[in-house]
């Protein structure tokens, strides 16, 4: 009776050791498939994170230069990074650039960052617009 407790049979080693393997192998296969699927999901998420970070960085750069009407820098950036930006984002910024380029001749020079005069009455000493010095 003492020997029967180890594997559930009266005469160890128990016949039918294949039955144990039949229970273990599927569990191992499921674990390996789960690991593979999780690893692929993690890789895809890291790629999406990289793309999102690149899109945010590009948007920050482009918005900063568009706000200052630095259209040449925007054009160069779009040309250099056309492959790394999402297609929709690239097309949207390209359309905005084209619109601003067509409007530029009709706008006063005071709107352009590079043509602003450093000595203006409505600019504070540190260059903060809207704070007049007396």
């Amino acid at each position: 009776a003492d020997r029967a407790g180890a594997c559930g049979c009266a005469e160890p080693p128990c016949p039918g050791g294949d039955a144990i393997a039949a229970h273990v192998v599927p569990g191992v296969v499921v674990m390996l498939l789960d690991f593979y699927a999780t690893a692929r999901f993690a890789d895809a998420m890291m790629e999406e994170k990289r793309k999102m970070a690149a899109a945010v960085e590009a948007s920050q750069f482009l918005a900063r230069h568009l706000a200052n009407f630095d259209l040449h820098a925007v054009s160069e950036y779009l040309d250099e990074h056309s492959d790394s930006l999402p297609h929709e984002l690239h097309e949207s910024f390209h359309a905005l650039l084209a619109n601003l380029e067509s409007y530029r001749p009709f706008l006063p020079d005071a709107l352009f960052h590079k043509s602003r005069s450093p000595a203006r009455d409505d600019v504070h000493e540190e260059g903060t617009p809207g704070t007049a010095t007396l």
Side-chain angles (χ1 to χ4, degrees):
D2 295 329
R3 295 173 18 187
C7 64
C9 63
E11 295 292 326
C14 298
D18 295 337
I20 293 173
H23 292 290
V24 172
V25 171
V28 171
V29 169
V30 167
M31 287 176 42
L32 290 174
L33 288 174
D34 181 57
F35 176 78
Y36 177 74
T38 303
R40 289 187 47 99
F41 176 77
D43 290 343
M45 291 303 295
M46 291 302 290
E47 180 64 18
E48 283 298 314
K49 181 181 175 185
R50 185 195 64 74
K51 287 179 183 179
M52 185 62 69
V56 168
E57 184 179 318
S59 295
Q60 289 172 337
F61 177 89
L62 293 169
R64 182 174 55 249
H65 287 280
L66 286 170
N68 292 321
F69 275 87
D70 189 0
L71 304 182
H72 181 70
V74 172
S75 179
E76 284 182 354
Y77 188 91
L78 288 174
D79 290 343
E80 292 173 6
H81 296 88
S82 63
D83 293 338
S84 62
L85 291 174
H87 179 72
E88 296 83 10
L89 186 64
H90 183 268
E91 290 299 314
S92 296
F93 275 116
H94 190 70
L96 182 58
L97 175 63
N99 287 339
L100 290 176
E101 285 174 338
S102 66
Y103 299 152
R104 187 171 185 161
F106 304 104
L107 298 173
D109 288 338
L111 291 176
F112 305 110
H113 179 69
K114 292 182 180 181
S115 64
R116 287 187 182 156
S117 172
R120 289 184 26 203
D121 291 340
D122 65 339
V123 176
H124 190 267
E125 295 162 15
E126 287 86 25
T128 306
T131 55
T133 56
L134 299 176

